[in-house]
Amino acid sequence: MSQPVAIITGASSGMGLAVTKHLVAQGWRVAMADIDEDTGRKVSAELGDQVLFCLTDVSSYSQQADLFRKAFLWGENRLDLFAANAGIADTQFLQENDYNYDEKGLPLALNLKALDVNFTAVIQGIWLFKHYARQNKIPGGKVVITSSSAGLYPMETNPVYTASKHGLVGLTRALGPALLRQNIQINAICPGFVPTALCPKEMLDRFPKEHITPMSTVIKAYDAFLGDHSLHGQTVELSLDQLYFRTKPDYPNESQRWLGEDSASFWEEAYTTPVS
Ligand SMILES: NC(=O)c1ccc[n+]([C@@H]2O[C@H](COP(=O)([O-])OP(=O)(O)OC[C@H]3O[C@@H](n4cnc5c(N)ncnc54)[C@H](O)[C@@H]3O)[C@@H](O)[C@H]2O)c1
């Protein structure tokens, strides 16, 4: 039997790199995708032929589509895992007033790169993964999304980041059952603070040690999702050395419970064709 194959985005650094190394040690082949070419190529050379580095900006659909095509061919028509992990902080702050103007004096659009990378690219990546996963010898596979604690609680300094990570939690919960019917298990991790390059070095050094979630907890969460085929649509919060499986919020009354749990046949009839 051939080795399992993963695509990991944001694999040149932090969690993506740690998960890459972990999976390689477990016998996986990993297509590492990142915009950081120097580090990515250096690491992939060190890890050897179990790894393929693909220079990819996930916010470009064509680059991500190319990544999936290359990885699937390299994996000999096999793709078992998509770790949608690349993410960035806000590139412009919605709450601040640093407007720039066009020649008519109209405010230029807010820079939404964080939404493009953290959210839209993940959806497009899942769209691509489904296309290839159904061509596996046994159709199906797994998706692990990197959301954040900011997907469960507000991070006031980064409202767009918060929105993108909350979006990923909703996406995981909404897609879980439908993708399971295609033998794809989709789950999300919501890490607390993990020391990586996402945080400026000088701040990292000052971060209170007792609030650091170690990389081993990230690996523990991946092992949980990869080892248990019954888990789907799950959101797991990672704090310190613990995994906390978080369920959707409680319903305030019976009507909202009906809407959330028993109204599926109504909506299936309402949305038989997508709204154009
Ligand atoms: N570090 C934390 O405390 C923390 C907590 C919760 C969630 N997260 C999330 O974890 C994920 C991984 O981040 P990290 O902490 O390992 O940070 P990191 O900065 O070490 O790694 C992120 C990687 O993503 C890459 N990347 C950025 N934009 C990209 C793009 N457009 N296309 C492809 N690659 C791109 C970067 O080059 C980098 O290698 C992110 O989604 C982040 O939001 C981080």
Side-chain angles (χ1 to χ4, degrees), residues 142-219:
K142 288 181 188 282
V143 178
V144 178
I145 292 176
T146 309
S147 174
S148 169
S149 291
L152 299 168
Y153 318 105
M155 185 180 183
E156 292 180 17
T157 53
N158 279 253
V160 173
Y161 181 86
T162 298
S164 71
K165 297 298 187 179
H166 270 66
L168 294 177
V169 168
L171 183 75
T172 304
R173 289 178 175 157
L175 263 181
L179 290 196
L180 188 68
R181 292 193 281 276
Q182 300 176 37
N183 195 30
I184 295 174
Q185 291 97 36
I186 180 170
N187 295 290
I189 62 170
C190 295
F193 180 79
V194 181
T196 68
L198 200 62
C199 179
K201 174 85 178 73
E202 59 283 6
M203 296 303 293
L204 263 187
D205 296 340
R206 286 166 41 199
F207 197 84
K209 303 277 172 283
E210 67 275 23
H211 297 305
I212 285 180
T213 294
M215 200 58 87
S216 53
T217 311
V218 176
I219 300 298

Side-chain angles (χ1 to χ4, degrees), residues 105-118:
L106 299 176
L108 292 181
L110 185 75
N111 184 314
L112 289 178
K113 191 74 183 173
L115 205 58
D116 299 342
V117 174
N118 302 354

Side-chain angles (χ1 to χ4, degrees), residues 37-47:
E37 185 172 15
D38 289 350
T39 317
R41 293 214 184 279
K42 189 171 154 281
V43 173
S44 66
E46 282 163 17
L47 291 174

Side-chain angles (χ1 to χ4, degrees), residues 2 4 13 17 21 98 199 269:
S2 62
S13 173
L17 179 55
K21 288 180 175 170
D98 55 342
C199 179
E269 201 181 324

Side-chain angles (χ1 to χ4, degrees), residues 45 60 73 119 122 156 214 221 263 268:
S60 152
L73 288 176
F119 187 62
V122 175
E156 292 180 17
S263 62
E268 271 156 24

Side-chain angles (χ1 to χ4, degrees), residues 24-275:
V24 166
Q26 309 276 310
W28 285 65
R29 302 178 74 195
V30 178
M32 299 174 67
D34 208 291
I35 47 172
D36 179 350
E37 185 172 15
D38 289 350
T39 317
R41 293 214 184 279
K42 189 171 154 281
V43 173
S44 66
E46 282 163 17
L47 291 174
D49 58 11
Q50 263 172 267
V51 158
L52 174 75
F53 178 75
C54 302
L55 177 62
T56 312
D57 178 347
V58 293
S59 67
S60 152
Y61 179 76
S62 61
Q63 289 188 31
Q64 206 174 185
D66 209 38
L67 160 72
F68 273 82
R69 183 186 58 81
K70 276 190 203 141
F72 191 68
L73 288 176
W74 173 74
E76 294 156 66
N77 297 336
R78 176 168 183 176
L79 186 54
D80 300 83
L81 168 69
F82 171 43
N85 169 76
I88 56 170
D90 286 3
T91 47
Q92 195 179 359
F93 296 115
L94 178 57
Q95 70 274 32
E96 291 184 3
N97 294 321
D98 55 342
Y99 291 94
N100 293 310
Y101 299 91
D102 70 8
E103 64 285 356
K104 288 191 212 145
L106 299 176
L108 292 181
L110 185 75
N111 184 314
L112 289 178
K113 191 74 183 173
L115 205 58
D116 299 342
V117 174
N118 302 354
F119 187 62
T120 309
V122 175
I123 298 177
Q124 298 292 13
I126 294 166
W127 178 244
L128 288 161
F129 180 75
K130 281 169 60 224
H131 173 75
Y132 289 100
R134 63 211 280 263
Q135 298 173 51
N136 281 330
K137 203 178 271 174
I138 300 171
K142 288 181 188 282
V143 178
V144 178
I145 292 176
T146 309
S147 174
S148 169
S149 291
L152 299 168
Y153 318 105
M155 185 180 183
E156 292 180 17
T157 53
N158 279 253
V160 173
Y161 181 86
T162 298
S164 71
K165 297 298 187 179
H166 270 66
L168 294 177
V169 168
L171 183 75
T172 304
R173 289 178 175 157
L175 263 181
L179 290 196
L180 188 68
R181 292 193 281 276
Q182 300 176 37
N183 195 30
I184 295 174
Q185 291 97 36
I186 180 170
N187 295 290
I189 62 170
C190 295
F193 180 79
V194 181
T196 68
L198 200 62
C199 179
K201 174 85 178 73
E202 59 283 6
M203 296 303 293
L204 263 187
D205 296 340
R206 286 166 41 199
F207 197 84
K209 303 277 172 283
E210 67 275 23
H211 297 305
I212 285 180
T213 294
M215 200 58 87
S216 53
T217 311
V218 176
I219 300 298
K220 197 197 270 191
Y222 267 84
D223 284 347
F225 287 139
L226 294 178
D228 185 341
H229 300 297
S230 70
L231 293 174
H232 67 281
Q234 294 291 322
T235 298
V236 66
E237 185 172 4
L238 280 52
S239 178
L240 309 178
D241 62 350
Q242 297 294 313
L243 306 182
Y244 300 92
F245 282 83
R246 300 300 304 269
T247 49
K248 61 192 174 192
D250 291 339
Y251 298 110
N253 62 21
E254 170 55 21
S255 176
Q256 287 299 89
R257 192 209 58 75
W258 176 86
L259 204 57
E261 290 178 7
D262 293 340
S263 62
S265 58
F266 178 87
W267 298 119
E268 271 156 24
E269 201 181 324
Y271 294 116
T272 43
T273 50
V275 179

